[in-house]
Amino acid sequence: MANKTKKILITGGAGFIGSHVVRQFVTKYPDYKIINLDALTYAGNLENLVDVAEFDNYEFVKGDIVNSGFVNELFAKECFDGVIHLAAESHVDRSITNPNAFVNTNVIGTVNLLNAAIETAKKNADFRFYHVSTDEVYGTLGDTGLFTEQTAYSPNSPYSASKAASDHFVRAYGETYGLDFVISNCSNNYGPNHFPEKLIPLFINNIITKKPLPVYGKGENTRDWLFVVDHARAIDEIYHRGNSKNTYNVGGLNEWKNIDLVRLLCDLMDEKLNRKKGESSELISFVKDRPGHDLRYAIDAKKLTTELNWKPSVTFEEGLSKTIDWYLENTAWLEHVTSGEYREYYRKQYAI
Ligand code: NAD
Ligand code: TYD
């Protein structure tokens, strides 16, 4: 893509990954105009962006991508050069109890953006649509092997089914309407601003407050963890240099069995909190398994590392240590996001 000033819409920019993507673009590209569109659901929080909120090249717009009238108006007014689409319902457990919310935002919301995008693309030849997706669309691996860009889609949860559907719509709009798009499928992220319902931030919060650590099943499921800032760096590379109508897998070759990761987290937090070694791991509680629980995710990111020269900037030990420090320094953020609606959901979920 030509190197010129751009107006880019980032959806879901008040969420976990979106806030890091907004920061990456606003600070690295002062000539770009970055518009963050977010509905501020339970997972969206403008506190994640206080450090860039006053930048001249940044603007926040509150709105719902499910509202097609609103989306069409925004696109007609702004004539974007590109969209980096992250807005989504993102938690597998919530998708099991309320799948429709996932169909609405992840499928219908994405199609609304695509409809508006093809109108913009008619006026702006440089227009690019980037869908930020997940490796969960590929389903589950057995004990060996890695997901490549050629792995067939085989989603097992309502969340991953909704992301697979939206990936397919993006690809179909490329074929049918000639839309320039890129898609990335990334492994599990961790880092600052992560809502404390996902494994790592939930367990950090529960260790701080000495609540049980609910490990699903036997804790033998495996995830491939990537520091969120490295995902934001990958998105930057793929948006600017990714080949049109291509998919890129993103991951750091960093597989952990849940129980091993939880024990490491407990040990690190005992040290940081000056607790007796082994104290936090006493909080581990094996609970009923998640239905349809994928056994193992692991990413082959060779295409991204060789074509676009991306590699992770931190080791897992560094990233996890930074993440724990961030949560220990931001207890007000934790207290804020775990109040209200979330607290009710959490109480029901774990009967506490
Ligand atoms: P998140 O739940 O932290 O944030 C989602 C954001 O989208 C929130 O700010 C929320 O307010 C906003 N949003 C939700 N519904 C909306 C709607 N209808 N209209 C406008 N905004 C809405 O999610 P995340 O973990 O930051 O994930 C971001 C994206 O990356 C998602 O598309 C997810 O599928 C994908 N992804 C996540 C991971 C991960 O490990 N978290 C890994 C790979 C891909
Ligand atoms: P999660 O963070 O929800 O991400 P995903 O399901 O999208 O991979 O879960 C990561 C792993 O941790 C997954 O195997 C489920 C497991 N898990 C638990 O054992 N207990 C929990 O309380 C949560 C939230 C997850």
Side-chain angles (χ1 to χ4, degrees):
M1 293 170 88
N3 187 18
K4 69 169 182 67
T5 295
K6 293 178 201 304
K7 193 189 276 186
I8 299 177
L9 179 72
I10 298 181
T11 71
F16 165 47
I17 302 171
S19 60
H20 291 276
V21 176
V22 166
R23 181 172 300 101
Q24 168 86 7
F25 276 73
V26 167
T27 56
K28 188 167 166 193
Y29 303 107
D31 292 346
Y32 289 12
K33 174 79 193 256
I34 303 301
I35 298 181
N36 170 16
L37 166 62
D38 197 295
L40 299 182
T41 68
Y42 78 93
N45 183 355
L46 289 175
E47 286 170 53
N48 296 345
L49 288 166
V50 275
D51 54 326
V52 296
E54 301 303 324
F55 278 49
D56 287 343
N57 62 339
Y58 170 73
E59 188 183 326
F60 173 69
V61 176
K62 185 169 187 287
D64 187 341
I65 59 169
V66 178
N67 180 344
S68 59
F70 161 77
V71 168
N72 291 340
E73 256 177 52
L74 180 70
F75 275 66
K77 179 173 144 232
E78 299 287 357
C79 195
F80 299 114
D81 295 292
V83 173
I84 304 177
H85 174 37
L86 297 106
E89 288 293 336
S90 67
H91 188 40
V92 173
D93 292 328
R94 286 181 189 251
S95 82
I96 296 168
T97 50
N98 183 13
N100 288 46
F102 288 69
V103 176
N104 288 335
T105 288
N106 301 1
V107 185
I108 296 172
T110 301
V111 174
N112 286 342
L113 291 170
L114 288 167
N115 287 335
I118 56 175
E119 292 308 313
T120 301
K122 287 177 193 164
K123 297 177 268 181
N124 183 349
D126 271 352
F127 183 86
R128 164 159 277 194
F129 191 95
Y130 183 161
H131 188 225
V132 176
S133 190
T134 166
D135 61 352
E136 302 190 25
V137 298
Y138 298 125
T140 188
L141 291 164
D143 290 335
T144 57
L146 300 172
F147 294 134
T148 73
E149 289 81 0
Q150 279 70 47
T151 304
Y153 276 31
S154 184
N156 291 317
S157 73
Y159 164 65
S160 53
S162 69
K163 292 298 289 187
S166 48
D167 281 359
H168 288 320
F169 271 104
V170 175
R171 213 179 299 271
Y173 273 59
E175 291 308 313
T176 305
Y177 306 106
L179 184 71
D180 172 25
F181 74 83
V182 278
I183 296 173
S184 57
N185 296 91
C186 186
S187 62
N188 287 62
N189 285 212
Y190 69 96
N193 302 343
H194 204 184
F195 194 84
E197 62 182 355
K198 310 276 171 65
L199 181 74
I200 290 181
L202 174 69
F203 281 29
I204 291 176
N205 191 26
N206 286 12
I207 290 170
I208 295 172
T209 53
K210 299 193 177 177
K211 288 205 194 98
L213 307 176
V215 174
Y216 298 160
K218 294 184 181 149
E220 282 173 358
N221 304 68
T222 297
R223 297 293 182 264
D224 184 350
W225 294 94
L226 181 69
F227 192 53
V228 63
V229 173
D230 284 326
H231 188 191
R233 290 174 48 250
I235 289 172
D236 182 358
E237 292 300 333
I238 294 165
Y239 178 76
H240 288 101
R241 299 196 296 119
N243 285 317
S244 185
K245 300 186 179 175
N246 270 236
T247 281
Y248 291 84
N249 279 355
V250 187
L253 281 181
N254 179 41
E255 284 184 57
W256 285 82
K257 251 189 189 135
N258 289 342
I259 189 63
D260 296 338
L261 170 55
V262 170
R263 290 198 196 285
L264 172 67
L265 194 61
C266 288
D267 289 348
L268 284 172
M269 291 210 50
D270 281 344
E271 264 176 52
K272 289 187 192 272
L273 291 165
N274 289 319
R275 289 184 187 165
K276 179 164 83 6
K277 190 168 166 24
E279 191 176 330
S280 298
S281 59
E282 282 168 20
L283 297 168
I284 293 173
S285 154
F286 292 94
V287 300
K288 192 163 162 284
D289 208 352
R290 173 189 276 175
H293 195 174
D294 287 332
L295 177 67
R296 177 171 164 260
Y297 303 145
I299 282 276
D300 179 346
K302 228 182 278 114
K303 180 172 172 185
L304 175 64
T305 54
T306 54
E307 260 185 36
L308 301 183
N309 224 4
W310 170 92
K311 62 175 191 323
S313 66
V314 294
T315 64
F316 188 52
E317 287 66 22
E318 288 163 348
L320 199 55
S321 176
K322 279 186 193 203
T323 303
I324 297 169
D325 290 345
W326 186 87
Y327 282 91
L328 292 176
E329 284 157 17
N330 288 275
T331 45
W333 182 96
L334 259 179
E335 177 56 33
H336 183 183
V337 303
T338 54
S339 60
E341 189 198 326
Y342 167 75
R343 190 161 286 168
E344 279 315 301
Y345 169 85
Y346 185 77
R347 273 209 196 104
K348 276 195 210 133
Q349 196 80 349
Y350 299 109
I352 54 169

